[in-house]
């Protein structure tokens, strides 16, 4: 399976990473424009070029709320 890491961190002394099947991320669309999203692994965001927004991924969970999204420059 083609998987991508969507979260990294530590739980106690253990390193933890959360991976998601790439097809799951590709199935998500922008809730405002219904356009496809681009995954930014470095910033842990799903980018909607159409809405000019970046939706955060927190603890491996995409937060697809406009109020939580960051406006792109």
């Amino acid at each position: 399976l083609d998987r991508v890491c969507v979260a990294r961190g530590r739980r106690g002394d253990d390193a933890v990473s959360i991976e998601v099947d790439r097809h799951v991320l590709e199935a998500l669309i922008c809730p405002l424009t219904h356009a496809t999203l681009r995954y930014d692994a470095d910033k842990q965001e799903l980018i909607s070029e159409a809405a000019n927004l970046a939706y955060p991924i927190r603890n491996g969970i995409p937060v697809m709320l406009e109020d939580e999204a960051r406006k792109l420059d």
Side-chain angles (χ1 to χ4, degrees):
L1 290 174
D2 189 16
R3 301 181 73 76
V4 294
C5 182
V6 294
R8 288 192 179 103
R10 299 199 70 77
R11 184 174 297 148
D13 292 334
D14 299 324
V16 176
S17 67
I18 299 172
E19 293 183 347
V20 173
D21 188 320
R22 182 178 297 278
H23 298 292
V24 172
L25 289 180
E26 291 173 355
L28 294 174
I29 59 170
C30 176
L32 298 176
T33 65
H34 301 208
T36 58
L37 301 168
R38 177 177 51 84
Y39 173 56
D40 184 330
D42 292 332
K43 293 183 179 176
Q44 290 296 291
E45 295 177 326
L46 292 169
I47 308 298
S48 172
E49 302 288 347
N52 204 37
L53 294 172
Y55 296 96
I57 298 174
R58 295 188 186 128
N59 299 319
I61 301 169
V63 181
M64 305 301 294
L65 301 171
E66 182 181 6
D67 291 347
E68 296 292 321
R70 176 178 66 82
K71 292 200 184 291
L72 298 175
D73 298 327

